[in-house]
Amino acid sequence: MEFEYYEILEVSKTATKAEIKKAYRKKAMKYHPDRNPGDKEAEEMFKKINEAYQVLSDDKKRAIYDKYGKAGLDGQMGGSSSGFGGFGGFEDIFEEMFGFGGRREKRKETPYNLDILIEVELEFKEAVFGVKKEEEYEYYTICKSCNGTGAKKSHTCPTCSGAGQVFMSHGFMKVAQTCPTCQGSGIIIDEECDECKGSGYKINKDKIELDIPAGVDDGMRMRIPNKGNEDFDGRRGDLYIHITVKEDKIFKRNGDDIFVEVPIFFTSAILGDKIKIPTLTGEKELEIKPHTKDKTKYRFKQEGIPNVHTGRKGNLIAILKIIYPEKLTDEQKELLEKLHKSFGKEVNAHKSIFEEAIEKVKGWFK
Ligand SMILES: [Zn+2]
Ligand SMILES: [Zn+2]
């Protein structure tokens, strides 16, 4: 495994966040394009420095990089495969460090958002162990025959003369507003486009091979770059996968931990017992000591779910639930009564405490 990000910033693998930021600032200043106009090598270095900083300054990304190298971050770095998180990026760093934006030019507006969000529902097991899934979805491209206008025949909007904007006077100020006649398109449609029936776009089908990592949880999002809707220049936005996970009857999840409720008969809780409980990978023996209380917890370390970022497993927690008989036969009733009597004074544990309390309360109203 290579650790070139550390080498690029010239910091050690154990460098603190502050050390990394300091190293980045120094390097970025040195290789900044404004200071090295026309220097291709400096520009290349500047890009590498930023890439390295983007990863090493982010705890989650750094953890993934330390473990899996660059490959683990592909999706987040705008590569071709899938990954997690990754909103914000170079632009934010540029703005934070230098006070200017590296943002792309504003694109000509499409009649739809460039990013797509689709929902993928996983079985509990798939979320725990990861799964490869092929998903079909639809994405939009600009209708070629009308170039996105939705019109077969049209004329220039007379209100705004095609500008899409009108200026309204508010006292001495002039304010630009979207043209109310054409809603900003600059044209009036005389006849709808046959190809797209006036929508301005075409619906296409696409397939995506999702490699969903072990440990994903309900509500998580994956970003697949360049698989969204297409703009006027043929560039595609991003596809976001919103993950939902079906609940399991036995295993209840909380973060990376798994909870299992263990029903145990009241006699077993008093006498003690040895039972088998299910785990995510098989079974474990659970020893219940005599006189065990209701809701007692037993922790099985690293029998939970692998963390989606670090791979570290959570715990399995078994919670005891004492069960009482729903019906008694005459014989059982007799036996229980006999047992009850055999405890003598112990069965009246509440009496001595409460009699005193009742007397005290009565005294309040005398
Ligand atoms: Zn107009
Ligand atoms: Zn069309």
XYZ file of all heavy atoms in Angstrom, residues 23 32 57 64 98 128 137 139 141 144 150 206 213 255 261 319 322 327:
144
model
N 1.007 22.180 7.020
C 1.805 21.705 5.892
C 1.112 22.048 4.574
O 1.745 22.477 3.608
C 2.012 20.198 6.012
N 0.803 27.745 -5.587
C -0.434 28.372 -6.063
C -0.254 28.942 -7.479
O 0.750 29.594 -7.762
C -0.851 29.493 -5.105
C -2.259 29.925 -5.333
N -2.598 30.792 -6.326
C -3.405 29.559 -4.729
C -3.913 30.963 -6.316
N -4.424 30.215 -5.354
N -7.523 15.770 5.743
C -8.138 16.697 6.696
C -9.505 16.205 7.149
O -10.122 16.765 8.029
C -8.290 18.078 6.063
O -9.148 17.994 4.939
N -10.349 5.728 5.931
C -10.529 4.824 4.786
C -9.222 4.731 3.996
O -8.773 3.655 3.617
C -11.673 5.324 3.874
C -13.015 5.239 4.622
C -11.749 4.492 2.599
C -14.152 5.936 3.912
N -8.290 30.740 0.544
C -7.851 31.869 -0.272
C -8.934 32.913 -0.530
O -8.677 33.956 -1.097
C -7.330 31.366 -1.625
C -6.224 30.386 -1.486
C -6.430 29.032 -1.715
C -4.969 30.805 -1.084
C -5.403 28.126 -1.556
C -3.937 29.888 -0.919
C -4.150 28.553 -1.160
N -26.109 -5.741 6.367
C -25.087 -6.207 7.317
C -23.843 -6.706 6.592
O -22.724 -6.385 6.960
C -25.642 -7.324 8.226
C -24.540 -7.919 9.091
C -26.769 -6.786 9.098
N -32.808 2.565 -13.698
C -33.425 3.866 -13.384
C -33.509 4.694 -14.648
O -32.954 4.332 -15.687
C -32.633 4.580 -12.295
C -31.268 5.048 -12.741
C -31.056 6.383 -13.070
C -30.207 4.164 -12.864
C -29.810 6.817 -13.496
C -28.975 4.586 -13.282
C -28.776 5.921 -13.600
O -27.554 6.345 -14.027
N -33.075 8.473 -16.639
C -32.435 9.788 -16.573
C -32.829 10.599 -17.800
O -33.250 10.050 -18.813
C -30.922 9.653 -16.437
C -30.198 9.205 -17.675
C -29.557 10.126 -18.514
C -30.154 7.852 -18.030
C -28.890 9.710 -19.654
C -29.491 7.434 -19.167
C -28.857 8.371 -19.973
O -28.200 7.965 -21.102
N -32.294 13.455 -20.881
C -31.371 14.162 -21.765
C -32.179 15.223 -22.500
O -33.394 15.085 -22.670
C -30.725 13.222 -22.810
O -31.762 12.454 -23.428
C -29.731 12.279 -22.175
N -33.151 16.561 -28.605
C -32.288 17.089 -29.664
C -33.083 17.866 -30.716
O -32.584 18.827 -31.288
C -31.535 15.933 -30.359
C -30.572 15.190 -29.427
C -29.213 15.849 -29.355
C -28.217 15.001 -28.586
N -28.542 14.782 -27.185
N -38.880 22.533 -26.146
C -40.205 21.916 -26.169
C -41.075 22.399 -27.320
O -42.250 22.068 -27.402
N -31.200 3.545 -17.810
C -29.811 3.225 -17.513
C -29.780 2.146 -16.435
O -30.757 1.959 -15.708
C -29.068 4.478 -17.026
C -27.553 4.359 -17.239
O -27.096 3.256 -17.624
O -26.849 5.353 -17.025
N -21.381 -1.611 0.374
C -20.473 -2.171 1.373
C -21.201 -2.668 2.620
O -22.307 -2.212 2.919
C -19.566 -0.994 1.725
C -20.377 0.217 1.440
C -21.309 -0.138 0.323
N -27.048 1.788 15.458
C -25.695 2.079 14.984
C -25.040 0.785 14.534
O -25.596 0.078 13.703
N -33.625 -9.621 21.933
C -34.400 -9.843 23.137
C -34.456 -11.349 23.400
O -34.756 -12.118 22.498
C -35.811 -9.288 22.953
C -36.580 -9.223 24.249
C -37.981 -8.669 24.026
O -38.800 -9.368 23.403
O -38.251 -7.550 24.477
N -30.731 -8.992 25.640
C -31.472 -8.447 26.785
C -32.510 -9.466 27.240
O -33.356 -9.903 26.460
C -32.191 -7.133 26.416
C -31.184 -6.132 25.846
C -32.893 -6.543 27.640
C -31.816 -4.862 25.350
N -38.122 -11.679 31.070
C -38.707 -12.787 31.828
C -40.164 -12.987 31.438
O -40.944 -12.040 31.376
C -38.566 -12.542 33.349
C -37.067 -12.533 33.702
C -39.315 -13.616 34.147
C -36.758 -12.298 35.157
N -51.296 -19.567 31.503
C -52.365 -20.344 32.160
C -51.725 -21.351 33.105
O -50.585 -21.766 32.904
C -53.155 -21.132 31.089
C -54.353 -20.369 30.554
C -55.160 -21.297 29.652
C -55.256 -20.720 28.258
N -55.541 -21.727 27.242
